[in-house]
């Protein structure tokens, strides 16, 4: 994109995938992929583990979907902030998005959010 400023609806911006429509389609695809992979892993556990129940399935898949939505939203917010502050420095924006995604992933595993969601669901139905 050679340093020029392009309007958001220009063909060049749409081709790179930075237009709002292209990003929304990317989020939809990533959300569907997240659900399919998470549901496949949880279904495998549901079928082959004796101590894994439907509550665990819903808790793990729901927590994974919420984590994905949190990462998408935080990444977009950071990318918007970096672009607003620097003008259009995509390198810093992408690095910041990566840092936010990794940070949320680390916090999610550090605080064992999936286990807490499953425990909460189990306490509600017991």
């Amino acid at each position: 994109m050679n340093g020029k400023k392009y309007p958001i609806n220009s063909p060049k911006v749409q081709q790179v995938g930075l237009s709002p429509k292209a990003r929304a389609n990317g989020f939809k695809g990533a959300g569907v992929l997240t659900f399919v992979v998470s549901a496949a892993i949880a279904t495998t556990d549901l079928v082959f583990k004796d101590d894994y129940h439907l509550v665990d399935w819903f808790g793990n898949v729901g927590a994974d979907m919420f984590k994905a939505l949190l990462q998408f939203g935080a990444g977009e917010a950071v990318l918007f902030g970096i672009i607003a502050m620097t003008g259009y420095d995509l390198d810093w924006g992408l690095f910041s998005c990566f840092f936010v995604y990794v940070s949320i992933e680390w916090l999610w595993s550090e605080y064992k959010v999936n286990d807490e969601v499953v425990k909460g669901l189990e306490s509600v139905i017991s």
Side-chain angles (χ1 to χ4, degrees):
M1 304 252 320
N2 67 12
K4 292 183 183 176
K5 295 206 179 214
Y6 293 94
I8 198 72
N9 60 353
S10 76
K12 194 82 139 170
V13 170
Q14 292 177 358
Q15 183 181 10
V16 173
L18 297 176
S19 69
K21 188 175 183 179
R23 288 194 344 250
N25 286 335
F27 287 140
K28 283 189 258 182
V32 168
L33 182 64
T34 300
F35 177 76
V36 168
V37 170
S38 178
I41 292 169
T43 301
T44 302
D45 288 345
L46 183 63
V47 170
F48 293 112
K49 291 182 179 177
D50 291 335
D51 60 339
Y52 195 87
H53 303 289
L54 199 56
V55 173
D56 299 307
W57 190 93
F58 279 108
N60 286 322
V61 172
D64 286 344
M65 290 303 298
F66 182 73
K67 177 175 65 172
L69 290 174
L70 184 65
Q71 288 175 326
F72 297 160
E76 268 300 294
V78 166
L79 182 62
F80 177 75
I82 293 292
I83 289 174
M85 287 189 309
T86 63
Y88 206 71
D89 193 2
L90 211 54
D91 295 337
W92 278 104
L94 294 177
F95 175 75
S96 301
C97 283
F98 176 76
F99 180 74
V100 166
Y101 275 59
V102 170
S103 299
I104 291 172
E105 192 69 40
W106 178 79
L107 287 169
W108 208 263
S109 63
E110 180 71 22
Y111 291 104
K112 296 178 178 35
V113 175
N114 281 12
D115 296 340
E116 294 298 321
V117 170
V118 170
K119 284 180 190 173
L121 287 174
E122 286 175 347
S123 71
V124 168
I125 65 167
S126 296

